[in-house]
Amino acid sequence: MENVKNDGDIREETTERLEQAMGSLGTAATASMEERLPWFRAMSAEYRSWVGLVAQAGIAGFVEWFKHEEKIRPAIAGEVFGTAPRELMRAVRLQQTVEIVRVVIDVVEAQVNKLAAPGGETQLREAILRYTREVAFGAAQVYARAAETRGAWDARLEALIVDALLRGEVDESLHSWAAALGWASTSVAVMAGHTPDDEPEAIIDDIRIASRRARVDVLAGVQGSRLIIIVGGVEDDPLAAAKPFTSKFGAGPVVVGPRVEDLYAATGSARAALAGLQAVAGWPDAPRPVLAGALLAERALDGDDDARAFLVEEVYEPLRDAGAPLLDTLTTYLEQGSSLEATARLLFVHPNTVRYRLRRVTELTGYVPADGRAAFTLRIALVLGRFMSRPANL
């Protein structure tokens, strides 16, 4: 009477066939990926080699799992990817991992009739389906954990960059950190305001969503009651670049620092924005957002050395160097309540001469004396300049 093999004997014989075919299956899987997956062909030779090892590890995991009658835990994607460097997890997306699994399974399924012992074809096909399902679920879990870990690390790195910029500790590592977060922008402006009531993580997430919609690079950090946003890709108008993010701040003013060329110079923009946020209380009707440069007078009165230096060097000194008539005309005009006629009478000149000199003031400083805010800033600049010009022994 002929012996009839039971399922255990069939599984054992199929396992032997699988073990003998592992090398050829791995080679066939790599060749199939080369043919079917354009992104695999576009990879470097080193990465293709690593992906090939991943495919072979997946086949070896299946054979081991099948050998033990599917009682052990399958070699899910986390263990399979353990054969490759960590960088490969960034280079190969989840969808591409699924495609790798599909190619490997197709290669194995195409040879089921050769690989399975007689009568074990159905058994092998069902095992392949179960293994595929387990690997797919496992891959999703691995990528989810990787994304969570990467998100936590990125958040810490982002906070370090913002903190370093605020403290002025800028070196080569700063750009390396920013590049690791995908930062590719040059022109930069820094925004400062108060933190909303949401959790810091939720605030940063909202800012990231807004940055993707605006298609600009952003780094953000919550520091106690302050929210700092560094915006990249700023063109001529920092206020326009800041507009998509103004609503992410809490109640109160939002101050935008000047546009600077890159992250190395962003410390200056951040310093101006923070000084403006401190001094904006002196201008209750300030717009939201407001440029830090529009708050130079308030910042100077609040003790900001950068603002004082700017007003002296860029406003007072050009007027002083232009000659006494220009400086005297501006001083008299401001003291006479912006009256052309009164200024002309006191200086014994025609009102048109006063008009000409005031236009020269605007050309030299950028401030229009007839404008109330500009007149205030010019007055502060004159006072500071005179302080700087007084004799040292007084």
Side-chain angles (χ1 to χ4, degrees), residues 99-373:
E99 291 176 357
I100 293 172
V101 173
R102 183 179 296 118
V103 169
V104 172
I105 295 306
D106 287 348
V107 167
V108 177
E109 279 188 322
Q111 302 188 40
V112 163
N113 292 334
K114 292 172 55 178
L115 295 172
E121 293 85 358
T122 301
Q123 183 185 65
L124 181 57
R125 284 194 180 91
E126 290 177 352
I128 290 171
L129 289 174
R130 286 193 292 272
Y131 185 77
T132 303
R133 182 188 61 192
E134 293 292 342
V135 170
F137 284 137
Q141 292 175 347
V142 167
Y143 275 83
R145 286 197 298 269
E148 184 177 351
T149 301
R150 187 161 58 248
W153 168 250
D154 287 353
R156 288 194 293 271
L157 189 58
E158 187 173 8
L160 283 173
I161 294 172
V162 173
D163 187 60
L165 285 173
L166 294 183
R167 288 187 282 109
E169 298 177 359
V170 179
D171 54 28
E172 288 292 337
S173 62
L174 186 74
H175 269 283
S176 298
W177 295 350
L181 296 177
W183 180 276
S185 295
T186 50
S187 54
V188 177
V190 179
M191 303 176 66
H194 299 296
T195 307
D197 295 332
D198 298 336
E199 291 295 322
E201 293 81 3
I203 297 169
I204 302 300
D205 286 343
D206 283 347
I207 292 169
R208 290 195 183 112
I209 292 171
S211 72
R212 287 194 291 271
R213 289 174 179 167
R215 296 182 180 179
V216 295
D217 286 334
V218 160
L219 297 169
V222 175
Q223 297 194 333
S225 62
R226 298 185 311 193
L227 173 60
I228 309 298
I229 301 179
I230 303 166
V231 185
V234 177
E235 296 182 355
D236 295 332
D237 185 2
L239 283 181
K243 190 174 181 180
F245 307 100
T246 302
S247 63
K248 307 306 174 185
F249 290 86
V254 175
V255 181
V256 183
R259 174 187 176 275
V260 293
E261 290 304 316
D262 53 31
L263 277 178
Y264 286 116
T267 293
S269 183
R271 190 166 57 241
L274 290 174
L277 185 63
Q278 178 73 25
V280 71
W283 186 11
D285 296 326
R288 173 187 159 110
V290 60
L291 287 173
L295 291 160
L296 282 168
E298 286 81 4
R299 287 164 53 194
L301 291 173
D302 199 40
D304 180 9
D305 290 336
D306 289 341
R308 291 183 173 188
F310 183 91
L311 291 176
V312 171
E313 295 169 7
E314 302 297 328
V315 179
Y316 175 78
E317 290 180 358
L319 293 174
R320 180 200 61 192
D321 296 342
L326 205 62
L327 199 59
D328 290 345
T329 299
L330 176 61
T331 300
T332 304
Y333 179 77
L334 294 176
E335 290 177 349
Q336 295 303 309
S338 301
S339 170
L340 283 171
E341 291 74 13
T343 302
R345 283 196 303 272
L346 286 174
L347 295 177
F348 301 103
V349 297
H350 195 276
N352 286 339
T353 302
V354 176
R355 290 191 180 92
Y356 168 76
R357 291 175 181 176
L358 293 180
R359 283 198 299 271
R360 286 287 296 145
V361 169
T362 300
E363 292 171 0
L364 290 172
T365 68
Y367 290 98
V368 179
D371 176 78
R373 284 287 306 170

